Amino acid sequence: MEIKRRLGLLAALLLALAAAAAEAATTERRRHAYAAMMYMGTPRDYEFYVATRVMMRSLARLHVDADLVVIASVDVPVRWAQTLQEEDGVKVVRVENLKNPYEYQQNFNTRFKLTLNKLYAWSLISYDRVVMLDSDNIFLQRTDELFQCGQFCAVFINPCIFHTGLFVLQPSMDVFKNMLHELETGRENPDGADQGFLASYFPDLLDQPMFHPPTNGTKLYGTYRLPLGYQMDASYYYLKLRWSIPCGPNSVITFPSAPWLKPWYWWSWPVLPLGLSWHERRRNNLGYGSELPILLIQAVMYIGIIAVTRLARPSLSKLCYNRRPEKIIAILHNTLKVAALWSIFAAYTVPFFLIPRTVHPLLGWPIYVLGVASLSSIVINVFLLPPLPVLTVLLGILGSLFVMAFPWYSDGVIRALVVFAYAFSCAPIAWASLMKVTGSLQNLLEREAFFPRLGESPQLSEFNKLY
């Protein structure tokens, strides 16, 4: 096992040297680079691929004086790498995944298993400085002054631990080899990811001076803390609904939140106000051509479902189950109630998971509402339920979207209180609607619309005569 591990590290080192040599042979070489990494093995690989493309294109539109580089593991699809190179003008450096020696420690999160690939940034020795990035950054302006920073510079979002969503480094094969050695010997790593490893590798960064770019354009040496304006945590915005970071230029927004609250998901807005900012950058830089056909198909399908349920309303009251024991009828009644409630739940959840995750919120939410309405129409007609109670939750969701999207809140606290008050006021209505649905099912069964008594022929109720 130890020999296999050493061979893996040696292979990674050789591959990094080959990539560095190929990069150095490029005829038109820039001295600096903005770099990101891509690897496979998570449920969100495609979303991060899209996010990386949007970030790189945003940097290109800012006319940064640097190469755009993606450190991609060898298992990243070839067509993704080709798209990055041919359509986005990105240089792709292929690397082997680094073995994570911390994956068996107690607090390890498996989604961080391959984040140590970020260490390959030190192998990009054809560049004087590299700004290493996570894909969830939004650039508000050029940040080329960062290339004047020293051997390692990072931002402290946490008062005691710097954030590795953006950091500046001076590539060095000696440092890279030493990092591989530290991985092999098992350097202390609190979280088992790149964050913990780098915090352990640069333990004294908190005591270093703040970076201020020299006005004459010269480069600094040593390690420095970067001003908070280079990694503005989105949660700071949500408190005030505006940026008020006095420390350094307000240049880069980051989203170090739960994975399902990243800004590229269609449900991110208006739940998270900054989600729309990311999607506007995607609309301006990349577009939504790959998802629009799927949305169109879904819209046509949902409209077709609504039309069919309006034109052909089934009358299950015509079903006659003669000679059934009363005990079986009671079981069937209970089963029918459970089936109706689960069908309503499915009508609200299935459309959510069918929508492509990275579409624009102004496209995703209408398709979701249309999907819920169409599937609910099936439930309403199959189980002969009153429409309004079934659709009450959908109306409540629409209302909450308008409440959250209201643009004139003074700050995030007021916004949160209004949303809470809205939810509190809607809760009794939602409960009453649920009781109405269950009561309607019970009344329907008691009127024997589904299961008539033994030996009796079924009679159409006044409700069904309307159809």
Side-chain angles (χ1 to χ4, degrees):
M1 181 64 70
E2 184 64 25
I3 295 176
K4 184 177 179 181
R5 187 177 177 184
R6 288 176 179 271
L7 288 174
L9 291 174
L10 180 60
L13 182 59
L14 291 174
L15 192 60
L17 285 169
E23 187 70 27
T26 308
T27 54
E28 294 184 8
R29 185 178 68 87
R30 286 174 168 169
R31 298 171 59 194
H32 308 130
Y34 288 96
M37 68 170 177
M38 283 179 55
Y39 53 84
M40 306 299 289
T42 74
R44 296 170 294 277
D45 292 335
Y46 177 75
E47 290 95 281
F48 278 94
Y49 161 67
V50 172
T52 300
R53 292 191 66 192
V54 171
M55 182 178 68
M56 289 301 179
R57 287 201 175 197
S58 298
L59 285 168
R61 286 176 66 94
L62 290 172
H63 304 291
V64 296
D65 185 20
D67 282 340
L68 305 177
V69 178
V70 169
I71 301 171
S73 61
V74 292
D75 52 354
V76 169
V78 174
R79 58 186 176 86
W80 290 7
Q82 290 176 341
T83 300
L84 285 165
Q85 291 174 314
E86 297 171 4
E87 297 184 19
D88 303 332
V90 173
K91 296 185 177 183
V92 178
V93 178
R94 289 284 192 167
V95 298
E96 291 283 350
N97 289 321
L98 289 178
K99 172 70 175 176
N100 193 320
Y102 310 103
E103 59 182 315
Y104 299 111
Q105 70 184 29
Q106 187 173 5
N107 64 334
F108 184 74
N109 190 326
T110 54
R111 68 188 178 96
F112 298 134
K113 180 179 179 179
L114 298 178
T115 56
L116 290 175
N117 286 359
K118 196 175 287 187
L119 303 184
Y120 277 110
W122 272 269
S123 70
L124 303 177
I125 56 175
S126 60
Y127 298 106
D128 294 341
R129 295 289 190 276
V130 171
V131 176
M132 191 66 200
L133 304 165
D134 282 348
S135 299
D136 58 353
N137 285 304
I138 294 180
F139 280 78
L140 304 180
Q141 59 185 2
R142 283 180 55 166
T143 57
D144 287 359
E145 69 276 6
L146 288 174
F147 297 120
Q148 297 176 245
C149 204
Q151 277 80 13
F152 184 79
C153 311
V155 179
F156 281 82
I157 294 179
N158 180 297
C160 301
I161 303 173
F162 60 81
H163 183 55
T164 57
L166 179 151
F167 59 87
V168 185
L169 63 105
Q170 180 180 12
S172 166
M173 288 306 299
D174 290 336
V175 174
F176 181 61
K177 291 176 184 178
N178 184 260
M179 286 179 168
L180 295 183
H181 175 72
E182 293 295 326
L183 286 179
E184 186 179 357
T185 57
R187 170 182 279 273
E188 181 183 0
N189 187 341
D191 59 11
D194 62 296
Q195 178 92 33
F197 179 83
L198 292 175
S200 174
Y201 198 85
F202 298 99
D204 59 346
L205 189 65
L206 183 62
D207 301 323
Q208 302 308 307
M210 184 70 72
F211 166 68
H212 298 286
T215 56
N216 60 1
T218 59
K219 286 183 171 63
L220 301 175
Y221 291 90
T223 56
Y224 291 85
R225 290 179 292 119
L226 293 177
L228 189 59
Y230 290 109
Q231 278 288 265
M232 299 185 295
D233 190 335
S235 61
Y236 299 152
Y237 179 88
Y238 300 145
L239 289 175
K240 296 290 186 181
L241 296 181
R242 64 182 183 277
W243 290 116
S244 56
I245 306 295
C247 183
N250 291 183
S251 300
V252 187
I253 306 170
T254 187
F255 296 83
S257 56
W260 294 106
L261 293 178
K262 294 298 184 182
W264 45 80
Y265 293 118
W266 62 265
W267 58 84
S268 66
W269 181 87
V271 180
L272 304 178
L274 287 174
L276 198 61
S277 299
W278 187 92
H279 279 281
E280 284 304 298
R281 279 165 175 77
R282 176 179 178 177
R283 185 179 64 84
N284 293 329
N285 291 289
L286 191 61
Y288 294 87
S290 59
E291 289 98 344
L292 285 178
I294 300 175
L295 294 179
L296 182 61
I297 292 172
Q298 290 187 16
V300 171
M301 179 184 68
Y302 291 143
I303 293 173
I305 290 174
I306 293 174
V308 169
T309 54
R310 291 290 297 175
L311 295 174
R313 303 187 182 192
S315 180
L316 295 184
S317 62
K318 295 179 181 179
L319 296 177
C320 183
Y321 298 85
N322 292 320
R323 304 293 181 185
R324 288 187 185 276
E326 295 291 342
K327 183 177 180 181
I328 294 179
I329 291 178
I331 294 174
L332 289 173
H333 283 188
N334 292 331
T335 302
L336 186 67
K337 290 180 183 178
V338 173
L341 294 176
W342 272 106
S343 297
I344 295 173
F345 177 76
Y348 278 86
T349 55
V350 170
F352 182 90
F353 291 104
L354 292 181
I355 298 171
R357 297 173 181 172
T358 56
V359 301
H360 197 287
L362 297 182
L363 297 174
W365 281 113
I367 293 296
Y368 173 73
V369 171
L370 182 62
V372 172
S374 68
L375 297 185
S376 296
S377 70
I378 298 176
V379 179
I380 290 168
N381 285 282
V382 168
F383 295 99
L384 305 177
L385 297 174
L388 186 57
V390 175
L391 297 174
T392 295
V393 174
L394 181 61
L395 297 175
I397 292 173
L398 283 172
S400 68
L401 295 179
F402 284 109
V403 169
M404 288 185 287
F406 184 75
W408 295 292
Y409 293 113
S410 59
D411 57 56
V413 176
I414 299 298
R415 178 179 183 265
L417 290 174
V418 172
V419 172
F420 176 79
Y422 174 82
F424 184 80
S425 63
C426 286
I429 301 174
W431 179 256
S433 297
L434 178 60
M435 294 298 100
K436 181 72 174 177
V437 169
T438 55
S440 178
L441 280 171
Q442 184 63 35
N443 292 336
L444 193 64
L445 295 172
E446 289 176 356
R447 292 201 307 265
E448 300 166 3
F450 284 83
F451 305 107
R453 289 187 179 179
L454 301 179
E456 295 183 1
S457 61
Q459 300 292 327
L460 288 178
S461 67
E462 292 298 323
F463 182 85
N464 291 308
K465 288 178 181 178
L466 296 175
Y467 301 94

